Amino acid sequence: MNVPTDLKYAKSDEWIRVEGEVATIGISDYAQDALSDIVYVDLPQVGASYTAGQPFGSVESVKAQSDVYLPVGGTVTAVNEALGQTPELVNSDPFGAGWLVKIQLTDAAPLADLMDAAAYTAFCAGRAH
Amino acid sequence: MLEPLIYDLSRPGRQGVTLPACDVPPTPLPDGLARTTLDLPEVDQLTVVRHFTRLSQLNMGIDTHMYPLGSCTMKYNPRVNETAARLPGLAAAHPLQDPETVQGSLALMFALQEWLADIGGFAGVSLQPAAGAQGELTGVLMMRAYHLDRGDTQRTKMLIPNSAHGTNPATANMAGLDVVEIPSDPRGNVDLAALKALCDDTIVGLMITNPNTLGLFEEHVEEVVAAVHACGGLVYGDGANMNAIVGKVRPGDLGFDVLHYNLHKTFSTPHGGGGPGSGPVGVSARLTDFLPGPLVARVQDQGETQPPHFSLVTPPKSIGRMKAFWGNFGVLVRAYAYIRANGPDGLRGNSEYAVLNANYLRAKLEDVYKLPYDRVCKHEFVVEGVWADAPGVHALDIAKRLVDYGFHAPTNYFPLIVHEALMIEPTETETRETLDTFVDALRKIAEEAHTQPQLLKDAPHTAPLSRLDEIAAAKQLVLCCRPAALS
Amino acid sequence: MAYYPHTPQERDDMLAAIGAADIETLFADIPARLRNPQLNLPPALSEMETLADLRELAEDNQHAGRSALFLGAGAYNHYTPQIVDALIQRGEFLTAYTPYQPEVSQGTLQAVFEWQSMVCALTGMDVANASHYDGATALAEAVIMGNEHFRGARRKVVLSPTLHPHARGVVHTYTQGLGLSIVGEDLPPDVAPPDLADLVDDQTMLLAVAYPNFLGQIDDLQGLADRVHARGALLVVMADPLALGLLTPPAALGADIVCGEGQSLGLPLSFGGPYLGFFATRKSLVRKMAGRVVGETHDRQGRRGFVLTLATREQHIRRERASSNICTNQGLMALAATIYLSTLGKHGLRQVAELCWHKSHYAAHLIGALPGFRVVAQRPFLKEFVVACPRPVAEVNDFLLYQRNIIGGYDLGQDYPALKNHMLLCVTETNTRAQIDDLVGALSELS
């Protein structure tokens, strides 16, 4: 299982890459593997705002459907349009081409509650699959 | 391609049936009222017959194969029931005719209400819900209405075991309730201690299936019911597994407040490839006022000299109607005929032989398939469809390989609490020799899993099609072969 | 008779294989004092006797086979081609389960795909599901879908008073736990669509209208969708699919959801069920639609096949996050309707609708000329029309049935106080001119 060290992770399996006032969010390798082949990604409108912990979209496979939650407060500045045609990018490259949204941070405080790579790896090891 | 679409068989100018000429003077149609195109096929009658006949030949059905789907009760669908439902007096009666003119239909419904109440141990029955899931919604709405009627407005939660069928939590959500999941204990029962800890005055009640979705009779069922009642909650019984207990125990006697029956499972009405079913509900005395209406009531007892007289009445605190008219009447006729033919001894015998057949299969397979719960089962049982020393083989592969041996697959991946579950329910209408052939097939498949696993992974080999690409289906989403045709 | 095949010897052999002394051992976990209750049911009958019992009950009914029928109001006497019933009785259709194992269920799956396609053709919409229990529950599911679509942000529903009273009742039942506000039903039954649109605001999730409406009338729905959409709400049209063989499809009128009762498509009256709910919507809303859906795909050899798809909307996956719990639906009835539509075809369905049109207008013309009777006809009608009677409808119907062996129309005063003594009369392609003339002759005696 791939867990890049430069990212932070939520218990609901989202990752976040923060670069100053902006951030990119996606779902982890553990999550894409659990869902298996993803067939559809429901993304928000650009400009939509969410508080930390609010659902901003969902990811769907043949067997399951999961909401995705924003780990921080933010406003959506871009969504990954490529996922409309090729949702399987979330499976093949969850940390790169399979990103979900980019946001402008409005509330970065919840970053402190997120896990680093080591903590997330330990968290996943303790879960029933 | 196995069979063309009906649209591909269409040729301009063909029609499958002619209509009489208009025998009245015509009235002109106003401009702009009529559509200018209608994209339906044009097919001669013989081609329609061949098309649908050939389609039917691509299916497995109870009439052709043993269908051991757990919790579906795929027993023989008696043909006399089909004849009964098609009797003109029953098939051509309009639901809104004056009740005086449909006393036969009302008498049938009244009798079925009484018989189901007796079988379940309940004070009242509504035949209106059209399926088990609709019966569940009926039951949960009645429980909610009961508490609100008493001013108990803080009850917003429904307790549901983690082994429950998905319709149970979905139903609670539809009724605006929060779902609280209860774990199961190592013997497959509802965890009594966990349940007791959750019983307080914020719960509407408990939804429970007994026998449960593992095919096991809840060993502490009376204590479970008592715990829920003690905190003021009600107990809902999902009757999907009733085939194990008709004439053996009555859910009402166990203390259940409401139960739905599945006529298309326990009472032999056909599944039809996805319905129609029927999901009547039975209730204890404290819920009879809340039943959906209308129901059939006997109007007056005029003594021995006059036949009984029936009408449609809505209970005083009814939750409302669950569907138009009175229920899936044609399905009710079939269930009536089934109960009438079987009588009490036949119904009890059906349950006894359903349980005998299931335990027979369990005994013949337990050395080869892992049983997560080593107990006498009821009408169905669960095995794990996986072996540590046959890596890469899953329950799905076993299910698909059974098709090559001439059997429909058992239920897969349910209940969720068993790893790689295969739930097997033979029903009472299978002969011993069919069961022995089924056992042989499963034993051979277990061997193949270890020696030739690819046979399973590529199965079925002899079905009309091999495994279908569900991912492509979900991504491409081709749900209709006609482009939207407007006006 | 019971259908288990076991002989006593087989029973004993099987018990020995299990290691159980007798059958009761297998039920030891049932509390002893509650086991084997006495069932107060009539004793078993042979097959022959069972049928005789049912025949007696059937004989006790008046029905459309014995009397001329002019009653509609949501259940219709149309002619069903004989092959429909013959084909749905094939055991492979009748006794199959839900098609969860698609390799051995292509008959059911392809038939559902063809049904979905025909519903799209009739309504003009993009996608349709496998069925709902009936038109009334389909309407309730449309309201639930509206609630999901707006994620609870809009709680108001506008229902036209001329939607079928049973359908409106089911909407109330289904939504009683959801905290919605349902308005519009107390408007007068001759309400015009623009007046309904006035009730749509930015708290409204949807407006639902009937087409034709419960009074048999075809409302002018032009422009209604624009007004509803201007407020951000959805337009739901509950339609009679047989009427759609003739009328402008609701998609052309801007509907977002089209649902309705499919009994008109070759299903018997059967005292109210089993019937058939159909449901169709736009492609953009497909993931919010409840019910089973069949999609096209291919197998490992590249051969075309069909599977249940979008299962992640459904109860067995979403569980407490599912907005609908529907599982078993009306599969065999959808098959019957598909065969009906295939047999009649594009011209035949139109012919049936036109026969209903001409015969109902012929009847209305004659009845309107009778002293004391007045036909209420400000709007076009297809197969049903409203007649103001000189006497209570119950009296008229008693006379028609007991003196003339005619089953008369529906008493609208039961549902609409403004329509006391008004009858909803239905004429279909099954009513001959002679039957209509007899009806008119009988009514003339009540003038």
Side-chain angles (χ1 to χ4, degrees):
Chain A
M1 185 178 81
N2 189 14
V3 188
T5 50
D6 61 322
L7 307 177
K8 289 236 165 195
Y9 299 85
K11 283 211 166 99
S12 45
D13 299 308
E14 296 83 9
W15 56 260
I16 182 168
R17 176 183 295 117
V18 180
E19 287 153 321
E21 291 294 305
V22 300
T24 309
I25 288 104
I27 64 167
S28 69
D29 191 27
Y30 179 92
Q32 71 75 20
D33 183 64
L35 283 162
S36 84
D37 304 84
I38 288 164
V39 298
Y40 182 76
V41 182
D42 185 27
L43 294 170
Q45 306 272 47
V46 169
S49 291
Y50 301 92
T51 56
Q54 269 196 313
F56 67 90
S58 68
V59 180
E60 186 183 309
S61 71
V62 170
K63 299 190 197 327
Q65 189 256 15
S66 278
D67 287 337
V68 283
Y69 303 88
L70 211 64
V72 294
T75 303
V76 178
T77 57
V79 301
N80 189 348
E81 308 275 3
L83 297 180
Q85 275 290 92
T86 34
E88 59 269 27
L89 284 171
V90 179
N91 294 114
S92 57
D93 192 7
F95 301 104
W99 63 275
L100 298 182
V101 294
K102 294 191 197 289
I103 60 166
Q104 177 83 26
L105 283 156
T106 56
D107 174 20
L111 282 171
D113 300 323
L114 298 178
M115 293 177 268
D116 64 14
Y120 183 66
T121 307
F123 171 66
C124 290
R127 288 156 97 171
H129 188 70
Chain B
M1 170 181 77
L2 298 168
E3 170 64 23
L5 291 166
I6 188 73
Y7 278 95
D8 297 331
L9 300 170
S10 174
R11 297 290 182 273
R14 293 197 183 148
Q15 190 161 319
V17 73
T18 55
L19 292 152
C22 186
D23 57 358
V24 300
T27 303
L29 281 163
D31 287 336
L33 192 74
R35 63 193 298 164
T36 53
T37 62
L38 176 58
D39 191 8
L40 289 176
E42 299 175 79
V43 188
D44 61 288
Q45 192 167 128
L46 176 55
T47 301
V48 175
V49 171
R50 284 198 179 141
H51 174 71
F52 288 98
T53 301
R54 287 196 297 245
L55 283 183
S56 78
Q57 292 169 333
L58 301 173
N59 272 2
M60 273 183 158
I62 299 169
D63 275 8
T64 54
H65 298 84
M66 176 178 162
Y67 224 107
L69 275 175
S71 274
C72 299
T73 310
M74 302 297 283
K75 66 171 76 182
Y76 171 59
N77 308 133
R79 282 314 190 277
V80 62
N81 302 347
E82 298 301 310
T83 308
R86 288 172 166 83
L87 291 169
L90 300 177
H94 189 293
L96 298 173
Q97 282 176 224
D98 181 343
E100 294 306 308
T101 66
V102 285
Q103 288 290 302
S105 297
L106 296 176
L108 186 151
M109 288 178 67
F110 185 78
L112 186 60
Q113 284 172 192
E114 299 275 282
W115 294 345
L116 289 177
D118 187 66
I119 287 166
F122 292 109
V125 165
S126 166
L127 302 174
Q128 202 179 68
Q134 228 205 9
E136 287 180 40
L137 182 62
T138 304
V140 171
L141 289 175
M142 285 194 289
M143 290 159 78
R144 177 182 174 274
Y146 170 84
H147 290 306
L148 290 176
D149 183 59
R150 291 158 52 93
D152 241 352
T153 53
Q154 78 286 2
R155 293 181 186 269
T156 57
K157 304 201 292 247
M158 185 66 82
L159 301 178
I160 301 182
N162 60 0
S163 56
H165 192 273
T167 49
N168 289 180
T171 298
N173 189 35
M174 283 176 88
L177 302 175
D178 299 319
V179 171
V180 178
E181 207 176 70
I182 314 176
S184 302
D185 73 17
R187 283 182 63 77
N189 305 303
V190 163
D191 185 324
L192 188 58
L195 172 74
K196 284 180 172 168
L198 290 165
C199 283
D200 62 25
D201 67 356
T202 64
I203 65 151
V204 168
L206 167 73
M207 295 177 84
I208 185 170
T209 309
N210 189 34
N212 63 24
T213 58
L214 300 162
L216 304 171
F217 194 86
E218 285 281 339
E219 289 172 313
H220 312 291
V221 64
E222 291 195 282
E223 289 175 87
V224 164
V225 171
V228 176
H229 283 162
C231 71
L234 298 171
V235 178
Y236 177 88
D238 180 322
N241 289 334
M242 207 181 191
N243 205 45
I245 57 169
V246 177
K248 301 306 289 179
V249 70
R250 309 196 311 175
D253 293 345
L254 293 170
F256 284 42
D257 296 289
V258 53
L259 175 100
H260 85 261
Y261 308 74
N262 291 75
L263 299 188
H264 49 295
K265 296 186 181 190
T266 319
F267 296 94
S268 88
T269 75
H271 283 84
S278 178
V281 292
V283 294
S284 60
R286 56 180 164 174
L287 289 178
T288 50
D289 282 351
F290 299 91
L291 282 167
L295 324 157
V296 181
R298 185 152 48 193
V299 175
Q300 72 251 44
D301 240 312
Q302 291 163 297
E304 300 291 311
T305 54
Q306 300 272 16
H309 194 72
F310 303 98
S311 72
L312 292 159
V313 294
T314 299
K317 299 180 181 173
S318 174
I319 55 167
R321 54 167 57 252
M322 295 305 296
K323 69 184 296 296
F325 310 117
W326 328 124
N328 274 353
F329 181 75
V331 179
L332 304 177
V333 174
R334 291 166 171 87
Y336 173 100
Y338 180 76
I339 295 172
R340 196 75 180 87
N342 274 273
D345 294 338
L347 293 177
R348 181 174 295 113
N350 292 335
S351 289
E352 291 177 347
Y353 284 102
V355 170
L356 178 70
N357 277 1
N359 279 286
Y360 180 72
L361 289 179
R362 183 182 61 85
K364 293 271 194 171
L365 290 169
E366 63 187 349
D367 61 320
V368 176
Y369 286 83
K370 174 155 182 244
L371 283 170
Y373 301 95
D374 190 11
R375 279 174 58 182
V376 166
C377 64
K378 288 287 161 291
H379 64 315
E380 65 190 10
F381 64 104
V382 181
V383 299
E384 288 186 13
V386 77
W387 298 271
D389 56 354
V393 170
H394 297 288
L396 185 69
D397 304 314
I398 300 167
K400 301 294 186 193
R401 184 65 178 145
L402 264 171
V403 168
D404 294 329
Y405 282 87
F407 297 96
H408 190 280
T411 302
N412 275 171
Y413 298 107
F414 181 78
L416 302 176
I417 58 172
V418 173
H419 186 50
E420 297 287 333
L422 285 168
M423 187 179 3
I424 298 168
E425 180 185 354
T427 84
E428 71 278 11
T429 55
E430 298 300 334
T431 63
R432 191 230 169 124
E433 54 272 25
T434 305
L435 298 180
D436 286 339
T437 312
F438 181 66
V439 167
D440 281 342
L442 276 173
R443 294 182 77 92
K444 289 208 175 77
I445 291 170
E447 201 188 298
E448 287 171 356
H450 291 81
T451 57
Q452 304 174 81
Q454 207 54 38
L455 270 179
L456 277 68
K457 304 207 69 57
D458 294 338
H461 304 271
T462 55
L465 292 180
S466 59
R467 294 200 202 184
L468 288 130
D469 189 342
E470 300 192 354
I471 294 163
K475 278 175 67 176
Q476 286 149 27
L477 268 197
V478 175
L479 308 178
C480 171
C481 64
R482 315 313 293 166
L486 300 185
S487 204
Chain C
M1 64 170 291
Y3 293 94
Y4 53 81
H6 306 65
T7 64
Q9 185 61 57
E10 284 166 347
R11 178 198 60 211
D12 293 341
D13 289 346
M14 291 169 77
L15 282 168
I18 296 167
D22 55 26
I23 288 200
E24 278 312 293
T25 317
L26 303 174
F27 292 91
D29 39 18
I30 297 179
R33 75 186 201 287
L34 299 176
R35 218 183 298 151
N36 297 324
Q38 161 124 346
L39 294 180
N40 295 318
L41 305 172
L45 293 178
S46 66
E47 189 178 289
M48 193 171 88
E49 294 163 310
T50 301
L51 213 44
D53 179 83
L54 267 301
R55 281 205 181 97
E56 241 187 80
L57 289 169
E59 289 296 304
D60 226 4
N61 281 354
Q62 292 283 62
H63 57 86
R66 253 194 207 159
S67 319
L69 185 88
F70 290 94
L71 174 58
Y76 301 97
N77 192 29
H78 290 291
Y79 179 72
T80 305
Q82 301 303 303
I83 59 171
V84 174
D85 203 36
L87 288 164
I88 66 171
Q89 290 195 77
R90 287 189 64 84
E92 303 97 321
F93 279 137
L94 182 71
T95 69
Y97 191 66
T98 298
Y100 287 130
Q101 300 292 342
E103 303 86 348
V104 293
S105 312
Q106 288 299 300
T108 298
L109 288 162
Q110 183 167 331
V112 174
F113 184 81
E114 294 178 0
W115 160 249
Q116 287 169 190
S117 302
M118 291 185 194
V119 171
C120 290
L122 282 170
T123 61
M125 305 301 282
D126 301 324
V127 293
N129 70 17
S131 69
H132 284 288
Y133 309 128
D134 63 5
T137 54
L139 180 67
E141 293 273 9
V143 172
I144 288 173
M145 180 169 157
N147 194 38
E148 278 302 296
H149 179 67
F150 291 102
R151 296 182 194 244
R154 292 191 178 214
R155 319 224 67 145
K156 186 168 141 192
V157 175
V158 182
L159 294 185
S160 164
T162 51
L163 287 161
H164 195 296
H166 292 189
R168 290 185 279 114
V170 173
V171 170
H172 281 277
T173 308
Y174 263 58
T175 59
Q176 63 191 262
L178 301 179
L180 304 183
S181 155
I182 299 176
V183 303
E185 297 176 88
D186 49 357
L187 290 173
D190 60 354
V191 68
D195 296 328
L196 284 167
D198 286 343
L199 294 179
V200 176
D201 58 23
D202 54 14
Q203 290 304 298
T204 306
M205 66 170 83
L206 63 88
L207 162 64
V209 295
Y211 180 70
N213 67 27
F214 183 63
L215 308 181
Q217 301 160 341
I218 302 159
D219 289 313
D220 181 2
L221 303 180
Q222 289 290 347
L224 184 64
D226 288 341
R227 289 196 57 195
V228 171
H229 293 152
R231 296 305 213 156
L234 299 172
L235 177 62
V236 176
V237 175
M238 188 174 175
D240 173 0
L242 194 126
L244 295 182
L246 180 68
L247 302 177
T248 304
L253 297 165
D256 299 291
I257 294 171
V258 184
C259 62
E261 177 52 63
Q263 182 269 332
S264 291
L265 302 179
L267 306 187
L269 287 169
S270 195
F271 200 55
Y275 286 173
L276 172 62
F278 73 87
F279 194 102
T281 189
R282 303 178 173 290
K283 191 127 195 179
S284 59
L285 296 173
V286 70
R287 286 181 153 80
K288 304 261 163 53
M289 179 174 74
R292 294 192 178 135
V293 162
V294 172
E296 187 179 316
T297 186
H298 50 267
D299 75 351
R300 288 184 180 177
Q301 278 73 47
R303 293 174 290 190
R304 182 191 65 197
F306 299 93
V307 289
L308 291 175
T309 191
L310 290 186
T312 52
R313 298 159 305 126
E314 293 191 72
Q315 47 78 25
H316 57 290
I317 291 185
R318 289 251 187 143
R319 298 178 67 90
E320 70 275 3
R321 294 179 307 134
S323 55
S324 167
N325 69 358
I326 188 164
C327 190
T328 294
N329 45 92
Q330 301 290 109
L332 199 71
M333 315 326 293
L335 174 65
T338 307
I339 299 170
Y340 175 87
L341 289 170
S342 301
T343 310
L344 280 161
K346 78 172 2 150
H347 298 297
L349 190 68
R350 170 96 179 220
Q351 284 161 19
V352 173
E354 287 180 352
L355 284 170
C356 294
W357 171 277
H358 295 302
K359 291 177 185 249
S360 61
H361 284 76
Y362 172 75
H365 180 72
L366 293 176
I367 292 170
L370 295 175
F373 289 88
R374 180 174 57 87
V375 170
V376 177
Q378 290 96 334
R379 290 169 216 189
F381 58 89
L382 178 64
K383 60 189 182 188
E384 290 182 282
F385 56 94
V386 179
V387 181
C389 301
R391 308 201 194 174
V393 173
E395 256 183 60
V396 175
N397 280 337
D398 276 353
F399 175 77
L400 287 176
L401 181 64
Y402 296 111
Q403 307 304 324
R404 291 287 181 278
N405 192 28
I406 295 171
I407 298 174
Y410 182 76
D411 184 354
L412 288 168
Q414 299 172 81
D415 302 291
Y416 304 96
L419 294 177
K420 208 162 111 126
N421 293 359
H422 286 64
M423 177 188 284
L424 181 66
L425 212 64
C426 177
V427 186
T428 73
E429 81 283 10
T430 61
N431 296 109
T432 61
R433 179 177 185 157
Q435 284 180 346
I436 299 170
D437 290 343
D438 278 350
L439 169 70
V440 175
L443 290 175
S444 71
E445 297 191 33
L446 298 172
S447 288

